Each structure stands twice: as C-alpha cells, then as structure tokens.
C-alpha cells in the first residue's frame, strides 16, 4: 500500500495535483475491529489516520465489509424525511402527490448506490429498509391502510427489495459493455460441465472462501445476469 501511495504522489506531482493529507485516510479491511497493530503510512511526512468506517459518495463503508452501519445511517436519514409526508397529509394533499414526494425525497435516498450493497444485506437490514416504506404508505393511505401487502397492491408499488434487485440488474447489463467495467464480467467458454451437463451460466462467477466475499457486488451482479440468461 505504501508503494501505491508513492505512485499516487508521483502522479499528483506530474499532473500538478496536491493530495490533502487531512482528508486522506487509511482503512484496513478486516473481519474484526480489533487489530494487533495499526498500519502506518505517510504522505509528505504526515502519518495518515486509520479509520474503521468512511462515507464515500453517499455509501457508508466499514472495514469488515458489513452493511449494518450504512443501513442504520440511511434508514435514519429517510425516516427524518417522513415529516414531509406527515405535513402534506395534514394539508390534505392527494395520494398521487404524497406518493410522488415519497419517490423523489425519501425512496431515492434509500436506493442510492443499491448495486454496491444489495448482495450483502442481511434479513435484518432488508426489514429495516422496508419499515420506512411501510411507514410512508401508512401516512399516504391514512385510514385506508390495513397491512403492507395490501398497501403495495393499492398503490401499485414494489417492495424495496424487489426494486433494488431491478436497479442492480439494470446496472449489471450496462456494466457488461462499459469499457471500464466489462473486464469484471468474463463469459463462459465451455458450454458443458465436467459431468456432461449443459452449463446455463453465461458469465463466470468467482468463488471465494467466505460468504461475505461471495455476496460482494460483482458476484451478486453476475448472479443476476446469469439468472436472466
């Protein structure tokens, strides 16, 4: 990593860029937050801070590659925005207006960067996201809300889990032909397995030792693509 940092410094010097040491952090990806020692790296003689989590382009990333923190932060942010729906509901706004506000102001927050973390969400994470939509539908339908499933049918909406899957699949299809992404999606060369059975998968899914790695974003997108082959 120190070598890569040196290369970054050289690139910055060539292109007359300056790395801000105050904003540059080090994250050591590990399954536990306990370290026997902390890595030490320097830029311009200044030691970089080691962190266990960071926010990058709206996504909360932790060193153990779990999505509990991202779920917690995103759900909390979305719940605060439910105030808009409550206030507009008090002003007798129509269901169409309330639903439109929910889509643009609240749901959009929960779906930002969905292809990155969808494959790694736990059942608890999924339920936490879904609870926000349940609350929103209860506000929108007022006295006509009976349960979540009936609300989905009445408003003709999908669950957030289904929407994340559709968003991820759309992203995966675009990535296959993107110049900077297509190398991650390698096509199968053989059409049959060792047992002689026909291999239905179009793309090769890398295999790792841990479930967390196998549920990473690239593997998840490849599985989505293979499921639609």
């Amino acid at each position: 990593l120190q070598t890569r940092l040196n290369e970054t410094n050289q690139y910055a010097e060539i292109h007359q860029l300056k790395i801000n040491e105050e904003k540059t952090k080090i994250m050591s990806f590990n399954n536990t937050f306990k370290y026997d020692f902390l890595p030490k790296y320097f830029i311009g003689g200044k030691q970089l801070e080691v962190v266990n989590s960071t926010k990058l382009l709206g996504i909360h990333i932790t060193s153990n590659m779990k999505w509990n923190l991202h779920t917690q932060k995103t759900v909390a942010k979305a719940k605060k925005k439910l105030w808009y729906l409550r206030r507009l509901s008090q002003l007798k706004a129509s269901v169409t207006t309330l639903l439109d506000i929910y889509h643009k102001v609240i749901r959009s927050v929960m779906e930002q960067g969905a292809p990155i973390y969808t494959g790694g969400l736990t059942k608890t994470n999924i339920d936490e996201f879904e609870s926000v939509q349940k609350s929103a539908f209860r506000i929108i339908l007022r006295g006509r809300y009976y349960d979540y499933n009936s609300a989905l049918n009445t408003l003709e909406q999908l669950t957030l889990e289904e929407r994340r899957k559709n968003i991820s699949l759309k992203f995966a299809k675009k990535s296959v032909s993107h110049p900077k992404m297509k190398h991650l999606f390698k096509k199968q060369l053989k059409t049959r397995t060792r047992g002689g059975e026909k291999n239905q998968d179009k793309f090769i899914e890398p295999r790792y030792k841990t479930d967390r790695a196998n549920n990473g974003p690239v593997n998840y997108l490849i599985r989505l693509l293979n499921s639609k082959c």
Side-chain angles (χ1 to χ4, degrees):
L1 182 54
Q2 185 66 60
T3 301
R4 295 302 299 272
L5 289 172
N6 292 337
E7 292 174 353
T8 303
N9 278 329
Q10 293 173 5
Y11 177 88
E13 291 175 0
I14 293 174
H15 295 274
Q16 297 183 342
L17 302 174
K18 180 174 176 58
I19 297 176
N20 189 327
E21 295 87 353
E22 297 295 332
K23 295 182 179 180
T24 305
K25 312 294 181 182
I26 293 294
M27 181 183 293
S28 178
F29 290 95
N30 199 312
N31 289 334
T32 176
F33 285 117
K34 297 179 180 180
Y35 298 104
D36 293 330
F37 63 92
L38 291 177
K40 294 182 180 180
Y41 300 104
F42 300 83
I43 289 183
K46 182 177 178 61
Q47 183 175 342
L48 301 183
E49 180 187 0
V50 180
V51 297
N52 289 325
S53 65
T54 188
K55 185 179 180 181
L56 181 62
L57 300 177
I59 306 296
H60 295 272
I61 302 173
T62 57
S63 60
N64 61 4
M65 290 308 295
K66 292 183 178 180
W67 298 105
N68 298 330
L69 179 63
H70 178 72
T71 301
Q72 176 188 350
K73 295 288 187 180
T74 305
V75 167
K77 183 178 180 181
K79 284 184 175 180
K80 289 180 180 179
K81 294 179 179 291
L82 289 174
W83 178 87
Y84 294 104
L85 293 183
R86 294 191 181 95
R87 183 61 180 137
L88 288 170
S89 179
Q90 292 172 356
L91 296 174
K92 307 300 182 184
S94 67
V95 170
T96 302
T97 299
L98 292 174
L99 194 59
D100 186 53
I101 294 297
Y102 166 68
H103 289 166
K104 295 176 179 178
V105 178
I106 303 173
R107 190 178 70 183
S108 60
V109 170
M110 295 188 288
E111 293 179 343
Q112 182 178 355
I116 297 175
Y117 58 82
T118 297
L121 293 179
T122 65
K123 179 63 168 58
T124 300
N125 297 151
I126 293 171
D127 290 343
E128 288 180 32
F129 276 113
E130 221 68 51
S131 68
V132 180
Q133 182 157 276
K134 290 179 184 179
S135 298
F137 288 175
R138 188 177 290 108
I139 297 170
I140 293 171
L141 291 174
R142 304 183 182 96
R144 290 186 294 159
Y145 182 90
Y146 300 104
D147 58 61
Y148 187 44
N149 289 330
S150 63
L152 288 169
N153 293 329
T154 300
L155 297 173
E156 298 180 346
Q157 301 294 299
L158 297 174
T159 64
L160 294 179
E161 183 177 11
E162 291 171 318
R163 281 189 53 81
R164 284 193 299 271
K165 182 177 180 180
N166 293 339
I167 292 170
S168 298
L169 179 60
K170 184 178 180 180
F171 177 80
K173 289 179 178 179
K174 290 183 178 180
S175 299
V176 170
S177 57
H178 194 282
K180 294 184 179 181
M181 296 285 288
K182 62 182 181 180
H183 69 281
L184 298 173
F185 303 89
K186 298 179 180 179
K187 293 185 177 181
Q188 293 277 6
L189 298 179
K190 297 181 179 180
T191 58
R192 295 188 178 277
T193 63
R194 291 183 178 179
E197 298 178 355
K198 187 175 181 180
N199 191 340
Q200 300 296 331
D201 292 342
K202 185 176 180 180
F203 297 94
I204 300 173
E205 180 183 349
R207 297 295 180 181
Y208 303 101
K209 294 182 179 180
T210 64
D211 291 338
R212 196 171 306 168
N214 287 320
N215 289 326
V218 175
N219 279 37
Y220 175 69
L221 295 178
I222 290 174
R223 285 197 296 273
L224 284 179
L225 289 171
N226 286 335
S227 68
K228 299 299 179 180
C229 289

